Amino acid sequence: MLSDRELERYEETFPPVMRSDSNAWLKQEKAAILDALSMMDDSAPLVQKILSSETDPDLQNRAIQVLGILDATEELSGLYSSLDNPRSRKAVLEA
């Protein structure tokens, strides 16, 4: 698991892009960041933070898929009931 300091370091790197408005180019960048996080040990807390602030359903689903790749069962277990979008709920079940 990431220490608080490591999480802060990652947050310093990724938030400017992850918090910006969605457009086609930016959406691709956000997806690329999520893909990179899927290959990083202990990045589940950061992916969960991104998921909680993301409004684009496609990127939300991608973040859910990344949590599945990371075997973040604890993060996924409480997520289903908090989602309203049927596609996102399905993504949790498939992750």
Side-chain angles (χ1 to χ4, degrees):
M1 180 164 224
L2 291 175
S3 69
D4 289 339
R5 185 168 186 224
E6 290 171 319
L7 186 58
E8 287 175 15
R9 185 176 51 127
Y10 289 124
E11 288 175 342
E12 289 171 3
T13 304
F14 295 118
V17 173
M18 298 310 289
R19 292 185 187 151
S20 302
D21 293 333
S22 291
N23 61 39
W25 175 77
L26 197 51
K27 187 173 179 176
Q28 289 176 346
E29 279 195 351
K30 289 179 177 184
I33 289 170
L34 287 168
D35 289 343
L37 288 172
S38 72
M39 296 179 255
M40 297 172 65
D41 292 336
D42 300 324
S43 62
L46 184 55
V47 175
Q48 190 172 15
K49 263 189 160 177
I50 292 168
L51 176 60
S52 67
S53 65
E54 184 55 59
T55 57
D56 183 286
D58 292 331
L59 291 170
Q60 286 177 337
N61 292 343
R62 183 64 192 135
I64 292 167
Q65 291 171 349
V66 169
L67 288 174
I69 291 168
L70 296 171
D71 291 325
T73 54
E74 189 174 312
E75 288 84 352
L76 287 167
S77 64
L79 192 57
Y80 183 87
S81 61
S82 69
L83 297 170
D84 295 328
N85 183 330
R87 282 183 51 214
S88 295
R89 285 185 163 201
K90 183 179 178 184
V92 169
L93 295 175
E94 293 174 347

